[in-house]
Amino acid sequence: MAEGKKSVVLSGVVAGQTAVCTVGREGKGLHYRGYDIRELAEKATFAEVAYLLLYGSLPTRQQLDDFRGRIIRPRDLPELLKKMLESLPGSSHPMDVMRTGCSMLGCLEPETNPQAQQRTIAERLLACFPSMLMYWYQFHKSGKRIDTRNDDQTISGHFLHMLYGQNPTELQRKALDVSFILYAEHEFNASTFTAREIASTASDFYSCITGAIGALRGALHGGANEGAMELIDRFKTPDEAEKGILQSLARKEKLLGFGHPVYTIVDPRSDLIKAQAKKLSEATGDTFLFAVAERIEQVMMREKKLFPNLDFFAAVAYRLMKIPTPMFTPMFVMSRTAGWSAHIIEQRSDNKIIRPSAEYTGPEPRPFVPIEQRTPATTGAV
Amino acid sequence: MAEGKKSVVLSGVVAGQTAVCTVGREGKGLHYRGYDIRELAEKATFAEVAYLLLYGSLPTRQQLDDFRGRIIRPRDLPELLKKMLESLPGSSHPMDVMRTGCSMLGCLEPETNPQAQQRTIAERLLACFPSMLMYWYQFHKSGKRIDTRNDDQTISGHFLHMLYGQNPTELQRKALDVSFILYAEHEFNASTFTAREIASTASDFYSCITGAIGALRGALHGGANEGAMELIDRFKTPDEAEKGILQSLARKEKLLGFGHPVYTIVDPRSDLIKAQAKKLSEATGDTFLFAVAERIEQVMMREKKLFPNLDFFAAVAYRLMKIPTPMFTPMFVMSRTAGWSAHIIEQRSDNKIIRPSAEYTGPEPRPFVPIEQRTPATTGAV
């Protein structure tokens, strides 16, 4: 998201109230319900953060235990959903798979009573998105119909267990959990605003999340972490990276993973995920990737005063966890479902339909021309 | 949509440029690319209007013939999609079915080259949305696996043929075609803005349409025509309707199908669909429904100065065509796909990501509290 404010529509225009999050205060702040992202990443777990987002306060031990149960138990998938995942091509984009899986779940387990069901559906989706992705992935990779029920106490552990076919290390589980904390919420970003826009028509919970997945998929939004990985992957050594980046900058090429429309000084999440990437790098002994990334970071700061955003070192951490690159954005989905859900619930609590206006640039009123009198017009010139 | 401007977020705020449509000029205007909706409804066909929206100009005879071919040929569904439709519950909301079908088609026939594919995908969706809905419906109603390939020259005829199991009358075909013209496009309404918001992240075409279907589903948007039907269905005679509406108004009940946030004087589409409903009413001899609706219209104007919007008499026309009420909003999808597609293509042609701001109403920065020190907080009080 190397977008400046000028290339953002509705930038600075208030499209609603929120108590969920503030971003970009003093050019560098991020708080979930008043708690600094730095403290949350250091001291909390993703389960606590998801609870905070959904319920408005940090959970007591008992509340957390109950909540963990609710996001662990519903990890299984309906048989019909499994069949559908089996029938999708193995070559599909994983985001298309998640979008379709979410929409289908909305047919199988529909929301009929929003007040009673909305948080239950949010918890169900938090629990089963990793299952959906991994069931589809493992079936098409090896023909295995994996059992998605697993009692790992964390969503990150559950996912990695299904990816690896065995328990992850504590470091891997922790690093992914931290990335989930950082990706969980970001105010009125494009996918969250999509979810709120859909919620504003009084549609169902699944429609909101399905639409949000579709928005997150885009290369200018969630898809940017794949672009960041592609950038890092171009280089084999830090020196090669320095040279290559300078050349790219000279060509005015747009580099993904740097800058952010709502932060002017720094993306506060970058150093937090960078610390995890560093630990993974040291633990695996595979340090070249981290060194290349760090050099790119230095060159971008020195040459363009651009800081890395969350996507940049998240890509490094995910690669070091052996998460396939096309699954980087689905990781974002598993986490951001917490934030999206909080916003849907909030939008519903004091709903007004969201309906902006347009500046008209087309032809002024003109008389209808019968088909016999039409001349070959230039088509496709819209 | 009995919403006034005050209950609309971003009302009057320009969220982009469009050459597709103007709504509400002088409180009553609607023009697609400069052509008055009244002329289009009277003199054009839905195929011409869809072409106009997608390509920017009315088609010549040759262009229309070619276009008709492109929205007739791809009426068949992939086998895997049919299997999925068979596996969905017969009790699903038809909008959930269409949302899921659209998303799955995005897995089976993905968009890999937007410039080359986007209008082809729009045409494919125009061709196969009626097939999707009717294949699912007939399979679950009677176990029949219908052949969705059919050479009816209109989308309305194709749909009604599959619904009735035989050719519709010319009047039925024409009435549905007119409703499709009227529903095809409406500037930055919530579902179209959802489609543009998703397009603004550089996501794929199917994600945009899938999200738009989810937004249209809401009771405050496309779902309103079902609400209008429910209102009319309450009464058996015009006199009963008069009495009932007066009672509802006395109770300050919100009545769907009246008023509109972008029209202050009249919804120009209402009289156009009302004329079709009247013809259907006379042809079927089933005139009580139209008479009840007309009386409701008179009472609402006399008592509240509120005019009916498109949804109101569209509901009457659809009922007289024996379209099941839960399919009213899917009719809207089949038509609005033309407008959504035009907006996606337009958004992409000069894209900036759409990212508004929020007014923060939550807690100010507060220190993290370790779990042992937390007291039981009021949950669910978000």
Side-chain angles (χ1 to χ4, degrees):
Chain A
M1 285 192 286
E3 303 281 327
K5 291 208 180 193
K6 280 180 194 161
S7 55
V8 177
V9 172
L10 295 181
S11 178
V13 175
V14 171
Q17 295 185 327
T18 187
V20 182
C21 174
T22 57
V23 293
R25 285 195 175 178
E26 298 167 7
K28 58 178 185 173
L30 175 61
H31 290 75
Y32 297 170
R33 298 198 181 276
Y35 296 107
D36 193 310
I37 191 66
R38 291 169 299 184
E39 280 206 293
L40 292 173
E42 187 194 337
K43 299 173 185 168
T45 60
F46 176 63
E48 283 173 275
V49 169
Y51 185 97
L52 171 68
L53 292 169
L54 284 172
Y55 292 92
S57 58
L58 287 168
T60 62
R61 177 68 65 191
Q62 184 62 48
Q63 287 170 332
L64 182 61
D65 288 348
D66 293 347
F67 180 67
R68 277 227 182 89
R70 298 198 299 274
I71 59 174
I72 288 174
R73 273 193 306 276
R75 283 177 177 168
D76 57 317
L77 302 172
E79 283 304 316
L80 292 172
L81 183 53
K82 288 188 205 169
K83 288 279 167 242
M84 191 276 289
L85 293 169
E86 290 176 21
S87 79
L88 292 183
S91 59
S92 287
H93 193 299
M95 289 295 281
D96 293 350
V97 173
M98 298 193 80
R99 186 190 65 214
T100 308
C102 180
S103 183
M104 186 170 181
L105 197 65
C107 295
L108 302 175
E109 302 174 1
E111 184 185 40
T112 51
N113 181 342
Q115 280 310 310
Q117 282 176 282
Q118 56 187 1
R119 285 188 178 81
T120 308
I121 293 172
E123 289 157 0
R124 169 70 162 143
L125 292 173
L126 283 167
C128 80
F129 272 148
S131 308
M132 237 181 243
L133 182 66
M134 281 296 106
Y135 186 89
W136 166 79
Y137 176 72
Q138 296 293 8
F139 178 82
H140 291 283
K141 190 172 161 232
S142 62
K144 260 189 294 190
R145 294 184 168 88
I146 61 167
D147 187 348
T148 62
R149 292 165 304 174
N150 157 324
D151 61 2
D152 196 292
Q153 293 296 298
T154 63
I155 290 172
S156 61
H158 177 226
F159 171 77
L160 291 173
H161 187 107
M162 291 185 290
L163 176 65
Y164 300 155
Q166 62 180 50
N167 278 325
T169 65
E170 258 320 298
L171 177 59
Q172 290 166 330
R173 186 182 277 120
K174 175 71 184 168
L176 188 57
D177 196 76
V178 168
S179 83
F180 284 170
I181 293 173
L182 302 177
Y183 271 125
E185 164 55 19
H186 218 236
E187 206 220 30
F188 281 15
N189 61 90
S191 58
T192 300
F193 191 61
T194 298
R196 290 188 75 122
E197 169 82 50
I198 298 173
S200 85
T201 74
S203 196
D204 71 307
F205 210 90
Y206 298 93
S207 286
C208 304
I209 301 283
T210 302
I213 294 171
L216 190 67
R217 184 188 189 286
L220 299 178
H221 191 10
N225 53 19
E226 294 180 42
M229 192 70 250
E230 186 273 323
L231 176 66
I232 302 165
D233 267 340
R234 290 185 205 169
F235 312 113
K236 292 212 166 40
T237 67
D239 287 349
E240 212 182 278
E242 171 133 11
K243 201 173 146 194
I245 294 294
L246 289 173
Q247 286 169 346
S248 292
L249 292 177
R251 283 195 303 269
K252 298 192 184 305
E253 197 185 319
K254 187 176 157 189
L255 301 176
L256 290 173
F258 286 87
H260 199 284
V262 295
Y263 299 115
T264 52
I265 297 170
V266 72
D267 182 337
R269 303 166 298 179
S270 180
D271 276 352
L272 300 167
I273 192 65
K274 185 180 173 184
Q276 297 298 323
K278 189 158 198 281
K279 281 184 197 169
L280 287 163
S281 171
E282 287 160 359
T284 57
D286 182 359
T287 54
F288 92 95
L289 192 73
F290 184 84
V292 164
E294 199 168 37
R295 182 69 72 86
I296 297 175
E297 179 191 21
Q298 290 160 1
V299 176
M300 291 295 283
M301 180 48 72
R302 187 184 73 215
E303 299 292 326
K304 303 294 290 180
K305 299 263 178 292
L306 276 176
F307 53 85
N309 58 47
L310 170 57
D311 292 329
F312 189 70
F313 280 104
V316 177
Y318 288 169
R319 167 64 59 82
L320 289 167
M321 280 185 265
K322 302 194 190 311
I323 297 171
T325 306
M327 285 188 196
F328 287 6
T329 319
M331 296 297 104
F332 201 151
V333 171
M334 291 174 198
S335 156
R336 186 60 61 89
T337 295
W340 289 335
S341 299
H343 280 278
I344 295 163
I345 293 165
E346 184 175 68
Q347 177 71 31
R348 287 172 164 188
S349 71
D350 181 27
N351 188 51
K352 296 187 174 78
I353 194 165
I354 299 170
R355 206 284 183 207
S357 296
E359 179 193 345
Y360 185 64
T361 59
E364 284 309 299
R366 48 181 170 170
F368 186 79
V369 183
I371 194 159
E372 296 74 21
Q373 296 168 28
R374 293 176 204 154
T375 51
T378 311
T379 59
V382 184
Chain B
M1 283 191 287
E3 304 280 326
K5 290 207 182 194
K6 278 180 198 163
S7 54
V8 178
V9 172
L10 294 181
S11 178
V13 174
V14 171
Q17 296 185 326
T18 188
V20 182
C21 174
T22 58
V23 294
R25 286 196 175 177
E26 299 166 7
K28 59 178 185 174
L30 175 60
H31 290 75
Y32 296 171
R33 298 197 181 276
Y35 296 108
D36 193 311
I37 191 66
R38 291 169 298 182
E39 280 206 293
L40 292 173
E42 187 193 336
K43 299 171 185 169
T45 60
F46 176 63
E48 283 173 276
V49 169
Y51 185 96
L52 170 67
L53 292 169
L54 284 172
Y55 292 91
S57 58
L58 287 168
T60 62
R61 176 69 65 193
Q62 184 61 50
Q63 287 170 333
L64 182 61
D65 288 348
D66 293 347
F67 181 67
R68 277 226 182 90
R70 298 199 299 275
I71 59 174
I72 288 175
R73 274 191 306 275
R75 283 176 178 168
D76 57 317
L77 302 172
E79 283 303 316
L80 293 172
L81 183 53
K82 288 188 204 169
K83 288 281 168 239
M84 191 277 288
L85 293 170
E86 291 175 20
S87 79
L88 291 183
S91 59
S92 287
H93 192 301
M95 287 296 279
D96 293 351
V97 173
M98 297 193 82
R99 187 190 63 214
T100 307
C102 180
S103 184
M104 186 170 183
L105 198 65
C107 295
L108 301 175
E109 302 174 1
E111 183 184 41
T112 52
N113 181 341
Q115 279 312 308
Q117 282 177 282
Q118 56 187 0
R119 284 188 179 81
T120 309
I121 293 172
E123 289 157 1
R124 168 70 162 144
L125 292 173
L126 283 167
C128 80
F129 272 148
S131 308
M132 237 181 242
L133 182 66
M134 280 296 106
Y135 186 89
W136 167 79
Y137 175 73
Q138 296 293 8
F139 179 81
H140 291 281
K141 190 172 160 231
S142 62
K144 260 190 294 188
R145 293 183 168 90
I146 62 166
D147 187 348
T148 61
R149 293 166 304 175
N150 156 326
D151 61 2
D152 196 293
Q153 293 296 297
T154 63
I155 290 173
S156 60
H158 177 227
F159 171 77
L160 291 174
H161 187 109
M162 291 184 291
L163 177 65
Y164 300 156
Q166 62 180 51
N167 278 324
T169 65
E170 258 320 297
L171 176 60
Q172 289 166 331
R173 185 184 278 115
K174 175 70 183 168
L176 187 57
D177 196 76
V178 168
S179 82
F180 283 171
I181 292 173
L182 303 177
Y183 271 124
E185 163 56 18
H186 219 237
E187 205 221 32
F188 281 14
N189 61 90
S191 58
T192 300
F193 191 62
T194 297
R196 291 189 74 122
E197 169 83 49
I198 297 173
S200 86
T201 74
S203 196
D204 71 307
F205 210 91
Y206 299 95
S207 286
C208 304
I209 301 283
T210 302
I213 294 172
L216 189 66
R217 184 189 189 286
L220 299 179
H221 191 11
N225 51 20
E226 294 180 39
M229 192 70 251
E230 187 274 320
L231 176 66
I232 302 165
D233 267 340
R234 289 186 205 168
F235 312 113
K236 291 210 167 43
T237 67
D239 287 348
E240 212 181 279
E242 172 133 9
K243 199 173 149 195
I245 294 294
L246 288 173
Q247 285 168 348
S248 292
L249 291 176
R251 284 195 303 270
K252 298 193 187 303
E253 196 185 322
K254 187 176 155 188
L255 301 175
L256 289 173
F258 285 87
H260 199 287
V262 295
Y263 300 114
T264 51
I265 298 171
V266 72
D267 182 337
R269 303 166 298 179
S270 180
D271 275 352
L272 301 167
I273 193 65
K274 184 180 174 185
Q276 297 298 324
K278 189 158 199 278
K279 281 184 196 169
L280 287 164
S281 170
E282 288 160 359
T284 57
D286 182 359
T287 54
F288 92 94
L289 191 73
F290 184 84
V292 165
E294 201 169 35
R295 181 70 71 84
I296 296 174
E297 180 191 20
Q298 289 162 0
V299 176
M300 291 296 282
M301 181 48 72
R302 188 186 71 214
E303 300 292 325
K304 304 293 290 181
K305 299 264 179 292
L306 275 176
F307 53 85
N309 57 46
L310 171 56
D311 292 329
F312 189 71
F313 280 104
V316 178
Y318 287 168
R319 166 65 60 82
L320 289 167
M321 280 186 266
K322 301 195 191 310
I323 298 172
T325 306
M327 286 190 196
F328 287 6
T329 319
M331 296 298 103
F332 201 152
V333 172
M334 291 175 199
S335 156
R336 186 60 60 88
T337 295
W340 290 334
S341 298
H343 280 277
I344 295 163
I345 293 166
E346 184 175 69
Q347 177 71 31
R348 288 172 164 189
S349 71
D350 181 26
N351 188 52
K352 296 187 174 79
I353 195 165
I354 298 170
R355 206 282 182 211
S357 296
E359 180 193 343
Y360 185 63
T361 58
E364 284 309 299
R366 47 180 169 170
F368 186 80
V369 183
I371 195 160
E372 297 73 21
Q373 296 168 28
R374 293 175 203 157
T375 50
T378 313
T379 59
V382 184

